[in-house]
Amino acid sequence: AAAAAAAAGRADPRGRRVGTGATMTAPAVEEVQCGGEGAGEMAKQYVPSEVEERLYAWWEEKGYFKPAADNGKQCFVLSMPPPNVTGRLHMGHAMFVALEDIMARFHRMRGHPTLWLPGTDHAGIATQMLVEKHLKAKGVDRLEIGREAFLERVWEWKEEYGGAITSQIRRLGASCDWSREKFTLDPDLCEAVTEAFVTLYDRGLIYRGEYMVNWSPSLGTAVSDLEVDYTDEAGSLYFFSYPLADGSGSIPVATTRPETILG
């Protein structure tokens, strides 16, 4: 109960919670229902699965992660770097969740209305690869079914497999406000991204140019470095010399990519 009260605000010795814009009676220990069968006997070792999920569900149900409605205090807001909606938890996620959770809980305990905004990224190329592999296993090609039908399959895939990463973040105890969860393809976010890029382009801060990409012949699009399978292959080392302007000699250079010599 003390941990739950700390997530929502700071508890004083008299059982009142302060620092959330209101004075409330802290919940009784019995309300958490941490004990199960054989609760009268202390377990020999701590079993997270028997405690943490139930306690976290209680925190979320009681709204302890929602910002307090107090316009008179300085608020604290941070957005979660959205993990891929079809991804799985890795060490990078665990690191940022731990650090951001510390900041969110710290500001709640200081009495600031605190919002930690969660969300997921559509991860277009990665999701496309997964859906295509799924379709190929059934003997279906995305070019044969057409764009609209393929998009429907992608949305079906997102609905079926998109909740795994958020469930895992919950299991880490992240104190974010899930009632405000966002997805990068939500209409309001799409509009905000379009406005941001158009504004940056109009101000001359971004431009569209040519650069080296990882091209996938099967997908017909560029893919990120994360989707590239690297292999070791025998290559050649090319030697050439850049002559000095005064004719006094040259500077020898070696490279495995001779196409860069003239660039």
Side-chain angles (χ1 to χ4, degrees):
R10 177 167 48 87
D12 72 7
R14 294 182 296 278
R16 296 179 301 173
R17 189 164 63 254
V18 296
T20 59
T23 301
M24 303 171 60
T25 301
V29 175
E30 291 78 11
E31 191 176 340
V32 186
Q33 298 179 352
C34 288
E37 295 182 3
E41 181 180 350
M42 180 176 290
K44 295 182 179 180
Q45 61 184 13
Y46 175 66
V47 183
S49 60
E50 296 181 0
V51 178
E52 294 179 358
E53 288 187 75
R54 181 167 59 253
L55 184 59
Y56 188 91
W58 179 72
W59 284 348
E60 194 173 345
E61 178 187 352
K62 294 297 181 181
Y64 290 145
F65 303 150
K66 296 180 180 180
D70 189 342
N71 297 328
K73 294 186 177 181
Q74 181 181 2
C75 63
F76 179 77
V77 180
L78 72 162
S79 297
M80 176 182 294
N84 289 353
V85 67
T86 56
R88 294 293 186 272
L89 199 70
H90 57 64
M91 287 300 295
H93 296 131
M95 178 182 293
F96 88 72
V97 167
L99 294 175
E100 293 191 0
D101 195 35
I102 290 172
M103 290 189 288
R105 292 177 184 268
F106 171 74
H107 282 278
R108 285 195 197 97
M109 295 176 71
R110 295 186 66 193
H112 299 158
T114 300
L115 171 62
W116 183 12
L117 184 66
T120 50
D121 182 32
H122 61 279
I125 295 176
T127 303
Q128 178 181 338
M129 291 180 62
L130 293 173
V131 175
E132 283 206 39
K133 289 180 180 179
H134 181 69
L135 292 177
K136 286 182 178 179
K138 296 182 177 181
V140 179
D141 186 271
R142 71 176 174 91
L143 298 178
E144 294 177 356
I145 63 176
R147 177 183 176 86
E148 295 302 323
F150 181 72
L151 285 176
E152 290 181 6
R153 300 293 182 92
V154 171
W155 280 108
E156 291 173 1
W157 180 276
K158 182 261 180 184
E159 293 301 324
E160 184 174 356
Y161 298 101
I165 188 69
T166 54
S167 297
Q168 291 175 324
I169 291 176
R170 279 180 166 92
R171 290 292 286 115
L172 290 178
S175 61
C176 40
D177 185 0
W178 292 104
S179 66
R180 302 173 186 244
E181 182 181 357
K182 288 294 185 179
F183 180 53
T184 49
L185 288 186
D186 287 342
D188 54 341
L189 292 188
C190 290
E191 182 179 352
V193 169
T194 301
E195 180 179 352
F197 272 91
V198 171
T199 301
L200 291 172
Y201 180 82
D202 290 341
R203 294 178 179 177
L205 299 176
I206 60 174
Y207 63 93
R208 184 175 183 178
E210 297 181 353
Y211 59 96
M212 297 288 290
V213 298
N214 302 311
W215 183 259
S216 171
S218 60
L219 293 177
T221 184
V223 297
S224 73
D225 292 341
L226 297 177
E227 276 72 52
V228 175
D229 294 326
Y230 293 92
T231 58
D232 293 330
E233 297 182 0
S236 300
L237 188 61
Y238 300 88
F239 296 86
F240 61 96
S241 298
Y242 281 114
L244 300 176
D246 59 4
S248 61
S250 61
I251 299 177
V253 177
T255 181
T256 58
R257 297 178 57 186
E259 67 271 16
T260 63
I261 292 176
L262 301 178

